[in-house]
Amino acid sequence: MYLERHWHQCEIETIEKLRGLAEQAGESLAKTSLAWVLANPPITSAIIGASHTDQLTGSLAATDLVLDPELTAQLDDTTAGSRWGDAAR
């Protein structure tokens, strides 16, 4: 029921595009996504979850990842339709 209600083909396609952008940058999707969120000035913190030490290590590494401005713009463009209430950047 959760999947049917909240996950549609457009979200799956967006995630696959994000995965491709992260891979092109040589990073994991999780690390790239978290670095992108943390690079957004209005965001002061991010809540992460990890069930394994390697997941936590990867998430913490995102705090040191500086994203290329072109990659940031691609991430912004790719997710524009999924961010509700997002102010213009």
Side-chain angles (χ1 to χ4, degrees):
M1 185 164 150
Y2 172 83
L3 291 176
E4 291 173 3
R5 181 178 293 171
H6 299 288
W7 287 93
H8 304 100
Q9 191 61 34
C10 63
E11 284 89 5
I12 294 168
E13 290 171 3
T14 298
I15 292 168
E16 289 308 312
K17 289 177 186 175
L18 293 173
R19 185 182 320 282
L21 292 171
E23 287 175 359
Q24 288 175 7
E27 301 292 348
S28 71
L29 175 58
K31 185 177 177 182
T32 302
S33 299
L34 187 54
W36 175 67
V37 166
L38 293 173
N40 190 344
I43 297 175
T44 58
S45 64
I47 299 172
I48 61 170
S51 56
H52 302 284
T53 305
D54 58 328
Q55 291 173 332
L56 179 59
T57 302
S59 293
L60 293 176
T63 62
D64 294 325
L65 179 60
V66 177
L67 299 175
D68 177 86
E70 184 177 329
L71 175 57
T72 300
Q74 291 174 317
L75 295 168
D76 288 342
D77 290 345
T78 301
T79 60
S82 301
R83 295 188 323 265
W84 297 356
D86 189 25
R89 294 177 188 228

